[in-house]
Amino acid sequence: MQKLFFELLQVSLGRLDCVDRAPLEEEWPLLYRMAHEQELVATSYQGVEKLFEFGLRGPQDLMLDWMSEAETAFDADVIEDYEPQAMKNPLKNSSWHTIQEENQQIASSATMHFLSLVVMCHEQFVHGHLKLRPLLDGYRLLHQIDGHFEQFANGRPFDRQLKSIGLLHFAQGLMWVMQETMKLEQRLMPCKPLESEGRFILSDIMGEAKGWKHWFKKHL
């Protein structure tokens, strides 16, 4: 089901023409529920509409509910203005605060909004609240940036900024998740995707968090 949901998301974003197989009648409500859980009702419905062209349509009542909710959902467009927030870890937070202070001249840029989004995703992940919704914003922001990241005051590239606040591996995991779920192109990524970290993050996002590693992350 996850693969089918990710394919539906990719159809929504124009990364796929159609899903690999037709959803079974009993699978449509599961896709709808996953869209709700990941706060992607409007975006996923864009994919549902595209599937109509291939004769793929779920139960009528469900389709009407999905359409109705999509009209009032807030995930269809990117939220560009991600305000910087404090980090739970005091050392990471100190480094993050320094970056903000040194880069006031680019505070309103897509580059800084994306860096703030990564920080926010990390804090949501630590507290077990991370969904795909902000990663969709990240996907759209990276397409806006198109590989042309703003110059930071200290001259370090984007991945070095991430490393300085201890978020490089986490960000690499996010890149893998965005590649897996949204087919984000590597040319747009500020750092190389890391599958091991990505699988760990994705399992947490999809509610499959198990084992001591997921417990330990609360202490990051």
mmCIF file with all atom_site columns, all heavy atoms in Angstrom, residues 26 44 56 69 92 98-99 112 124 129 143 160 164 172 174 180 182 184 192 214:
data_model
loop_
_atom_site.group_PDB
_atom_site.id
_atom_site.type_symbol
_atom_site.label_atom_id
_atom_site.label_alt_id
_atom_site.label_comp_id
_atom_site.label_asym_id
_atom_site.label_entity_id
_atom_site.label_seq_id
_atom_site.pdbx_PDB_ins_code
_atom_site.Cartn_x
_atom_site.Cartn_y
_atom_site.Cartn_z
_atom_site.occupancy
_atom_site.B_iso_or_equiv
_atom_site.pdbx_formal_charge
_atom_site.auth_seq_id
_atom_site.auth_comp_id
_atom_site.auth_asym_id
_atom_site.auth_atom_id
_atom_site.pdbx_PDB_model_num
ATOM 1   N N   . GLU A 1 26  ? -11.145 -2.082 -2.224  1.00 0.00 ? 26  GLU A N   1
ATOM 2   C CA  . GLU A 1 26  ? -10.948 -1.932 -0.780  1.00 0.00 ? 26  GLU A CA  1
ATOM 3   C C   . GLU A 1 26  ? -9.674  -1.159 -0.443  1.00 0.00 ? 26  GLU A C   1
ATOM 4   O O   . GLU A 1 26  ? -9.456  -0.806 0.724   1.00 0.00 ? 26  GLU A O   1
ATOM 5   C CB  . GLU A 1 26  ? -10.901 -3.313 -0.112  1.00 0.00 ? 26  GLU A CB  1
ATOM 6   C CG  . GLU A 1 26  ? -9.783  -4.231 -0.561  1.00 0.00 ? 26  GLU A CG  1
ATOM 7   C CD  . GLU A 1 26  ? -10.170 -5.127 -1.731  1.00 0.00 ? 26  GLU A CD  1
ATOM 8   O OE1 . GLU A 1 26  ? -11.138 -4.790 -2.446  1.00 0.00 ? 26  GLU A OE1 1
ATOM 9   O OE2 . GLU A 1 26  ? -9.511  -6.170 -1.906  1.00 0.00 ? 26  GLU A OE2 1
ATOM 10  N N   . SER A 1 44  ? -2.786  14.803 -3.117  1.00 0.00 ? 44  SER A N   1
ATOM 11  C CA  . SER A 1 44  ? -3.070  13.445 -3.572  1.00 0.00 ? 44  SER A CA  1
ATOM 12  C C   . SER A 1 44  ? -4.304  13.398 -4.460  1.00 0.00 ? 44  SER A C   1
ATOM 13  O O   . SER A 1 44  ? -4.379  12.589 -5.395  1.00 0.00 ? 44  SER A O   1
ATOM 14  C CB  . SER A 1 44  ? -3.239  12.497 -2.385  1.00 0.00 ? 44  SER A CB  1
ATOM 15  O OG  . SER A 1 44  ? -4.295  12.928 -1.546  1.00 0.00 ? 44  SER A OG  1
ATOM 16  N N   . LEU A 1 56  ? -9.339  4.742  -13.872 1.00 0.00 ? 56  LEU A N   1
ATOM 17  C CA  . LEU A 1 56  ? -9.151  4.264  -12.503 1.00 0.00 ? 56  LEU A CA  1
ATOM 18  C C   . LEU A 1 56  ? -9.913  5.196  -11.570 1.00 0.00 ? 56  LEU A C   1
ATOM 19  O O   . LEU A 1 56  ? -9.581  6.375  -11.444 1.00 0.00 ? 56  LEU A O   1
ATOM 20  C CB  . LEU A 1 56  ? -7.660  4.239  -12.137 1.00 0.00 ? 56  LEU A CB  1
ATOM 21  C CG  . LEU A 1 56  ? -6.752  3.404  -13.048 1.00 0.00 ? 56  LEU A CG  1
ATOM 22  C CD1 . LEU A 1 56  ? -5.316  3.460  -12.565 1.00 0.00 ? 56  LEU A CD1 1
ATOM 23  C CD2 . LEU A 1 56  ? -7.240  1.963  -13.135 1.00 0.00 ? 56  LEU A CD2 1
ATOM 24  N N   . GLU A 1 69  ? -12.982 17.611 0.444   1.00 0.00 ? 69  GLU A N   1
ATOM 25  C CA  . GLU A 1 69  ? -11.953 17.975 1.425   1.00 0.00 ? 69  GLU A CA  1
ATOM 26  C C   . GLU A 1 69  ? -10.735 18.607 0.760   1.00 0.00 ? 69  GLU A C   1
ATOM 27  O O   . GLU A 1 69  ? -10.077 19.473 1.345   1.00 0.00 ? 69  GLU A O   1
ATOM 28  C CB  . GLU A 1 69  ? -11.549 16.746 2.232   1.00 0.00 ? 69  GLU A CB  1
ATOM 29  C CG  . GLU A 1 69  ? -12.668 16.235 3.132   1.00 0.00 ? 69  GLU A CG  1
ATOM 30  C CD  . GLU A 1 69  ? -12.167 15.248 4.160   1.00 0.00 ? 69  GLU A CD  1
ATOM 31  O OE1 . GLU A 1 69  ? -11.037 15.429 4.664   1.00 0.00 ? 69  GLU A OE1 1
ATOM 32  O OE2 . GLU A 1 69  ? -12.895 14.292 4.448   1.00 0.00 ? 69  GLU A OE2 1
ATOM 33  N N   . LYS A 1 92  ? 23.341  22.161 19.205  1.00 0.00 ? 92  LYS A N   1
ATOM 34  C CA  . LYS A 1 92  ? 22.851  22.363 17.846  1.00 0.00 ? 92  LYS A CA  1
ATOM 35  C C   . LYS A 1 92  ? 22.133  23.700 17.726  1.00 0.00 ? 92  LYS A C   1
ATOM 36  O O   . LYS A 1 92  ? 22.266  24.406 16.725  1.00 0.00 ? 92  LYS A O   1
ATOM 37  C CB  . LYS A 1 92  ? 21.901  21.224 17.459  1.00 0.00 ? 92  LYS A CB  1
ATOM 38  C CG  . LYS A 1 92  ? 22.578  19.877 17.273  1.00 0.00 ? 92  LYS A CG  1
ATOM 39  C CD  . LYS A 1 92  ? 21.571  18.798 16.903  1.00 0.00 ? 92  LYS A CD  1
ATOM 40  C CE  . LYS A 1 92  ? 22.265  17.460 16.692  1.00 0.00 ? 92  LYS A CE  1
ATOM 41  N NZ  . LYS A 1 92  ? 21.316  16.368 16.355  1.00 0.00 ? 92  LYS A NZ  1
ATOM 42  N N   . THR A 1 98  ? 23.700  30.941 15.416  1.00 0.00 ? 98  THR A N   1
ATOM 43  C CA  . THR A 1 98  ? 24.830  31.658 14.812  1.00 0.00 ? 98  THR A CA  1
ATOM 44  C C   . THR A 1 98  ? 24.621  31.817 13.305  1.00 0.00 ? 98  THR A C   1
ATOM 45  O O   . THR A 1 98  ? 24.866  32.893 12.749  1.00 0.00 ? 98  THR A O   1
ATOM 46  C CB  . THR A 1 98  ? 26.145  30.909 15.075  1.00 0.00 ? 98  THR A CB  1
ATOM 47  O OG1 . THR A 1 98  ? 26.397  30.865 16.489  1.00 0.00 ? 98  THR A OG1 1
ATOM 48  C CG2 . THR A 1 98  ? 27.312  31.596 14.381  1.00 0.00 ? 98  THR A CG2 1
ATOM 49  N N   . ILE A 1 99  ? 24.169  30.755 12.649  1.00 0.00 ? 99  ILE A N   1
ATOM 50  C CA  . ILE A 1 99  ? 23.904  30.823 11.207  1.00 0.00 ? 99  ILE A CA  1
ATOM 51  C C   . ILE A 1 99  ? 22.848  31.884 10.906  1.00 0.00 ? 99  ILE A C   1
ATOM 52  O O   . ILE A 1 99  ? 22.984  32.666 9.958   1.00 0.00 ? 99  ILE A O   1
ATOM 53  C CB  . ILE A 1 99  ? 23.465  29.447 10.675  1.00 0.00 ? 99  ILE A CB  1
ATOM 54  C CG1 . ILE A 1 99  ? 24.637  28.470 10.689  1.00 0.00 ? 99  ILE A CG1 1
ATOM 55  C CG2 . ILE A 1 99  ? 22.895  29.564 9.254   1.00 0.00 ? 99  ILE A CG2 1
ATOM 56  C CD1 . ILE A 1 99  ? 24.273  27.056 10.281  1.00 0.00 ? 99  ILE A CD1 1
ATOM 57  N N   . MET A 1 112 ? 17.255  29.934 2.804   1.00 0.00 ? 112 MET A N   1
ATOM 58  C CA  . MET A 1 112 ? 17.110  29.947 4.260   1.00 0.00 ? 112 MET A CA  1
ATOM 59  C C   . MET A 1 112 ? 15.793  29.325 4.689   1.00 0.00 ? 112 MET A C   1
ATOM 60  O O   . MET A 1 112 ? 15.719  28.669 5.737   1.00 0.00 ? 112 MET A O   1
ATOM 61  C CB  . MET A 1 112 ? 17.227  31.374 4.789   1.00 0.00 ? 112 MET A CB  1
ATOM 62  C CG  . MET A 1 112 ? 18.660  31.873 4.869   1.00 0.00 ? 112 MET A CG  1
ATOM 63  S SD  . MET A 1 112 ? 19.739  30.891 5.961   1.00 0.00 ? 112 MET A SD  1
ATOM 64  C CE  . MET A 1 112 ? 19.065  31.320 7.570   1.00 0.00 ? 112 MET A CE  1
ATOM 65  N N   . GLN A 1 124 ? 10.392  17.971 14.613  1.00 0.00 ? 124 GLN A N   1
ATOM 66  C CA  . GLN A 1 124 ? 9.161   17.181 14.545  1.00 0.00 ? 124 GLN A CA  1
ATOM 67  C C   . GLN A 1 124 ? 9.482   15.694 14.611  1.00 0.00 ? 124 GLN A C   1
ATOM 68  O O   . GLN A 1 124 ? 8.760   14.919 15.245  1.00 0.00 ? 124 GLN A O   1
ATOM 69  C CB  . GLN A 1 124 ? 8.395   17.506 13.265  1.00 0.00 ? 124 GLN A CB  1
ATOM 70  C CG  . GLN A 1 124 ? 7.755   18.879 13.265  1.00 0.00 ? 124 GLN A CG  1
ATOM 71  C CD  . GLN A 1 124 ? 6.913   19.129 12.029  1.00 0.00 ? 124 GLN A CD  1
ATOM 72  O OE1 . GLN A 1 124 ? 6.893   18.322 11.101  1.00 0.00 ? 124 GLN A OE1 1
ATOM 73  N NE2 . GLN A 1 124 ? 6.225   20.255 12.005  1.00 0.00 ? 124 GLN A NE2 1
ATOM 74  N N   . HIS A 1 129 ? 6.404   13.612 15.380  1.00 0.00 ? 129 HIS A N   1
ATOM 75  C CA  . HIS A 1 129 ? 5.289   14.280 14.707  1.00 0.00 ? 129 HIS A CA  1
ATOM 76  C C   . HIS A 1 129 ? 5.531   14.512 13.226  1.00 0.00 ? 129 HIS A C   1
ATOM 77  O O   . HIS A 1 129 ? 4.721   15.155 12.567  1.00 0.00 ? 129 HIS A O   1
ATOM 78  C CB  . HIS A 1 129 ? 5.013   15.635 15.366  1.00 0.00 ? 129 HIS A CB  1
ATOM 79  C CG  . HIS A 1 129 ? 4.664   15.530 16.815  1.00 0.00 ? 129 HIS A CG  1
ATOM 80  N ND1 . HIS A 1 129 ? 5.001   16.504 17.739  1.00 0.00 ? 129 HIS A ND1 1
ATOM 81  C CD2 . HIS A 1 129 ? 4.016   14.561 17.508  1.00 0.00 ? 129 HIS A CD2 1
ATOM 82  C CE1 . HIS A 1 129 ? 4.575   16.136 18.938  1.00 0.00 ? 129 HIS A CE1 1
ATOM 83  N NE2 . HIS A 1 129 ? 3.988   14.965 18.825  1.00 0.00 ? 129 HIS A NE2 1
ATOM 84  N N   . HIS A 1 143 ? 12.770  22.830 -5.966  1.00 0.00 ? 143 HIS A N   1
ATOM 85  C CA  . HIS A 1 143 ? 12.539  23.123 -7.377  1.00 0.00 ? 143 HIS A CA  1
ATOM 86  C C   . HIS A 1 143 ? 12.622  24.627 -7.645  1.00 0.00 ? 143 HIS A C   1
ATOM 87  O O   . HIS A 1 143 ? 13.062  25.045 -8.719  1.00 0.00 ? 143 HIS A O   1
ATOM 88  C CB  . HIS A 1 143 ? 11.183  22.562 -7.826  1.00 0.00 ? 143 HIS A CB  1
ATOM 89  C CG  . HIS A 1 143 ? 11.255  21.132 -8.269  1.00 0.00 ? 143 HIS A CG  1
ATOM 90  N ND1 . HIS A 1 143 ? 11.189  20.071 -7.392  1.00 0.00 ? 143 HIS A ND1 1
ATOM 91  C CD2 . HIS A 1 143 ? 11.414  20.588 -9.498  1.00 0.00 ? 143 HIS A CD2 1
ATOM 92  C CE1 . HIS A 1 143 ? 11.289  18.934 -8.063  1.00 0.00 ? 143 HIS A CE1 1
ATOM 93  N NE2 . HIS A 1 143 ? 11.435  19.216 -9.346  1.00 0.00 ? 143 HIS A NE2 1
ATOM 94  N N   . ARG A 1 160 ? 27.703  22.012 4.285   1.00 0.00 ? 160 ARG A N   1
ATOM 95  C CA  . ARG A 1 160 ? 28.562  22.345 5.437   1.00 0.00 ? 160 ARG A CA  1
ATOM 96  C C   . ARG A 1 160 ? 27.776  23.088 6.510   1.00 0.00 ? 160 ARG A C   1
ATOM 97  O O   . ARG A 1 160 ? 28.071  22.943 7.710   1.00 0.00 ? 160 ARG A O   1
ATOM 98  C CB  . ARG A 1 160 ? 29.759  23.182 4.980   1.00 0.00 ? 160 ARG A CB  1
ATOM 99  C CG  . ARG A 1 160 ? 30.759  22.443 4.109   1.00 0.00 ? 160 ARG A CG  1
ATOM 100 C CD  . ARG A 1 160 ? 31.531  21.392 4.903   1.00 0.00 ? 160 ARG A CD  1
ATOM 101 N NE  . ARG A 1 160 ? 32.285  21.993 6.008   1.00 0.00 ? 160 ARG A NE  1
ATOM 102 C CZ  . ARG A 1 160 ? 33.469  22.564 5.865   1.00 0.00 ? 160 ARG A CZ  1
ATOM 103 N NH1 . ARG A 1 160 ? 34.051  22.629 4.671   1.00 0.00 ? 160 ARG A NH1 1
ATOM 104 N NH2 . ARG A 1 160 ? 34.091  23.066 6.919   1.00 0.00 ? 160 ARG A NH2 1
ATOM 105 N N   . SER A 1 164 ? 27.425  21.776 10.341  1.00 0.00 ? 164 SER A N   1
ATOM 106 C CA  . SER A 1 164 ? 27.777  22.612 11.488  1.00 0.00 ? 164 SER A CA  1
ATOM 107 C C   . SER A 1 164 ? 26.714  22.578 12.579  1.00 0.00 ? 164 SER A C   1
ATOM 108 O O   . SER A 1 164 ? 27.012  22.866 13.743  1.00 0.00 ? 164 SER A O   1
ATOM 109 C CB  . SER A 1 164 ? 28.018  24.053 11.042  1.00 0.00 ? 164 SER A CB  1
ATOM 110 O OG  . SER A 1 164 ? 26.803  24.686 10.676  1.00 0.00 ? 164 SER A OG  1
ATOM 111 N N   . GLN A 1 172 ? 20.434  14.199 4.711   1.00 0.00 ? 172 GLN A N   1
ATOM 112 C CA  . GLN A 1 172 ? 20.672  13.182 3.690   1.00 0.00 ? 172 GLN A CA  1
ATOM 113 C C   . GLN A 1 172 ? 19.561  12.135 3.710   1.00 0.00 ? 172 GLN A C   1
ATOM 114 O O   . GLN A 1 172 ? 19.127  11.639 2.664   1.00 0.00 ? 172 GLN A O   1
ATOM 115 C CB  . GLN A 1 172 ? 22.028  12.510 3.915   1.00 0.00 ? 172 GLN A CB  1
ATOM 116 C CG  . GLN A 1 172 ? 23.211  13.395 3.589   1.00 0.00 ? 172 GLN A CG  1
ATOM 117 C CD  . GLN A 1 172 ? 24.532  12.684 3.829   1.00 0.00 ? 172 GLN A CD  1
ATOM 118 O OE1 . GLN A 1 172 ? 24.901  12.359 4.976   1.00 0.00 ? 172 GLN A OE1 1
ATOM 119 N NE2 . GLN A 1 172 ? 25.252  12.427 2.750   1.00 0.00 ? 172 GLN A NE2 1
ATOM 120 N N   . LEU A 1 174 ? 16.468  12.783 4.651   1.00 0.00 ? 174 LEU A N   1
ATOM 121 C CA  . LEU A 1 174 ? 15.307  13.439 4.051   1.00 0.00 ? 174 LEU A CA  1
ATOM 122 C C   . LEU A 1 174 ? 15.381  13.416 2.532   1.00 0.00 ? 174 LEU A C   1
ATOM 123 O O   . LEU A 1 174 ? 14.364  13.219 1.851   1.00 0.00 ? 174 LEU A O   1
ATOM 124 C CB  . LEU A 1 174 ? 15.207  14.885 4.525   1.00 0.00 ? 174 LEU A CB  1
ATOM 125 C CG  . LEU A 1 174 ? 14.834  15.147 5.984   1.00 0.00 ? 174 LEU A CG  1
ATOM 126 C CD1 . LEU A 1 174 ? 14.669  16.654 6.209   1.00 0.00 ? 174 LEU A CD1 1
ATOM 127 C CD2 . LEU A 1 174 ? 13.562  14.414 6.388   1.00 0.00 ? 174 LEU A CD2 1
ATOM 128 N N   . GLU A 1 180 ? 12.457  8.764  -2.718  1.00 0.00 ? 180 GLU A N   1
ATOM 129 C CA  . GLU A 1 180 ? 11.654  7.540  -2.700  1.00 0.00 ? 180 GLU A CA  1
ATOM 130 C C   . GLU A 1 180 ? 10.168  7.834  -2.855  1.00 0.00 ? 180 GLU A C   1
ATOM 131 O O   . GLU A 1 180 ? 9.467   7.093  -3.552  1.00 0.00 ? 180 GLU A O   1
ATOM 132 C CB  . GLU A 1 180 ? 11.905  6.798  -1.381  1.00 0.00 ? 180 GLU A CB  1
ATOM 133 C CG  . GLU A 1 180 ? 11.237  5.443  -1.270  1.00 0.00 ? 180 GLU A CG  1
ATOM 134 C CD  . GLU A 1 180 ? 11.939  4.357  -2.075  1.00 0.00 ? 180 GLU A CD  1
ATOM 135 O OE1 . GLU A 1 180 ? 13.019  4.633  -2.659  1.00 0.00 ? 180 GLU A OE1 1
ATOM 136 O OE2 . GLU A 1 180 ? 11.416  3.235  -2.116  1.00 0.00 ? 180 GLU A OE2 1
ATOM 137 N N   . MET A 1 182 ? 8.700   11.009 -3.728  1.00 0.00 ? 182 MET A N   1
ATOM 138 C CA  . MET A 1 182 ? 8.321   12.067 -4.663  1.00 0.00 ? 182 MET A CA  1
ATOM 139 C C   . MET A 1 182 ? 9.184   12.102 -5.917  1.00 0.00 ? 182 MET A C   1
ATOM 140 O O   . MET A 1 182 ? 8.995   12.967 -6.766  1.00 0.00 ? 182 MET A O   1
ATOM 141 C CB  . MET A 1 182 ? 8.391   13.435 -3.961  1.00 0.00 ? 182 MET A CB  1
ATOM 142 C CG  . MET A 1 182 ? 7.557   13.510 -2.699  1.00 0.00 ? 182 MET A CG  1
ATOM 143 S SD  . MET A 1 182 ? 7.844   15.052 -1.768  1.00 0.00 ? 182 MET A SD  1
ATOM 144 C CE  . MET A 1 182 ? 7.105   14.586 -0.186  1.00 0.00 ? 182 MET A CE  1
ATOM 145 N N   . LEU A 1 184 ? 12.298  13.052 -6.192  1.00 0.00 ? 184 LEU A N   1
ATOM 146 C CA  . LEU A 1 184 ? 13.107  14.261 -6.255  1.00 0.00 ? 184 LEU A CA  1
ATOM 147 C C   . LEU A 1 184 ? 14.408  13.957 -6.993  1.00 0.00 ? 184 LEU A C   1
ATOM 148 O O   . LEU A 1 184 ? 15.095  12.978 -6.698  1.00 0.00 ? 184 LEU A O   1
ATOM 149 C CB  . LEU A 1 184 ? 13.424  14.773 -4.844  1.00 0.00 ? 184 LEU A CB  1
ATOM 150 C CG  . LEU A 1 184 ? 14.332  15.993 -4.769  1.00 0.00 ? 184 LEU A CG  1
ATOM 151 C CD1 . LEU A 1 184 ? 13.631  17.230 -5.325  1.00 0.00 ? 184 LEU A CD1 1
ATOM 152 C CD2 . LEU A 1 184 ? 14.784  16.231 -3.331  1.00 0.00 ? 184 LEU A CD2 1
ATOM 153 N N   . LYS A 1 192 ? 23.948  14.530 -0.721  1.00 0.00 ? 192 LYS A N   1
ATOM 154 C CA  . LYS A 1 192 ? 23.657  13.216 -1.286  1.00 0.00 ? 192 LYS A CA  1
ATOM 155 C C   . LYS A 1 192 ? 22.661  12.465 -0.401  1.00 0.00 ? 192 LYS A C   1
ATOM 156 O O   . LYS A 1 192 ? 22.735  12.526 0.829   1.00 0.00 ? 192 LYS A O   1
ATOM 157 C CB  . LYS A 1 192 ? 24.939  12.401 -1.415  1.00 0.00 ? 192 LYS A CB  1
ATOM 158 C CG  . LYS A 1 192 ? 25.930  12.949 -2.426  1.00 0.00 ? 192 LYS A CG  1
ATOM 159 C CD  . LYS A 1 192 ? 27.163  12.075 -2.512  1.00 0.00 ? 192 LYS A CD  1
ATOM 160 C CE  . LYS A 1 192 ? 28.143  12.620 -3.547  1.00 0.00 ? 192 LYS A CE  1
ATOM 161 N NZ  . LYS A 1 192 ? 29.374  11.773 -3.629  1.00 0.00 ? 192 LYS A NZ  1
ATOM 162 N N   . HIS A 1 214 ? 14.410  4.118  17.590  1.00 0.00 ? 214 HIS A N   1
ATOM 163 C CA  . HIS A 1 214 ? 13.319  5.081  17.553  1.00 0.00 ? 214 HIS A CA  1
ATOM 164 C C   . HIS A 1 214 ? 13.055  5.666  18.951  1.00 0.00 ? 214 HIS A C   1
ATOM 165 O O   . HIS A 1 214 ? 12.604  6.797  19.065  1.00 0.00 ? 214 HIS A O   1
ATOM 166 C CB  . HIS A 1 214 ? 12.054  4.420  16.987  1.00 0.00 ? 214 HIS A CB  1
ATOM 167 C CG  . HIS A 1 214 ? 12.167  4.101  15.536  1.00 0.00 ? 214 HIS A CG  1
ATOM 168 N ND1 . HIS A 1 214 ? 11.939  5.030  14.555  1.00 0.00 ? 214 HIS A ND1 1
ATOM 169 C CD2 . HIS A 1 214 ? 12.509  2.962  14.899  1.00 0.00 ? 214 HIS A CD2 1
ATOM 170 C CE1 . HIS A 1 214 ? 12.118  4.471  13.371  1.00 0.00 ? 214 HIS A CE1 1
ATOM 171 N NE2 . HIS A 1 214 ? 12.468  3.231  13.553  1.00 0.00 ? 214 HIS A NE2 1
#
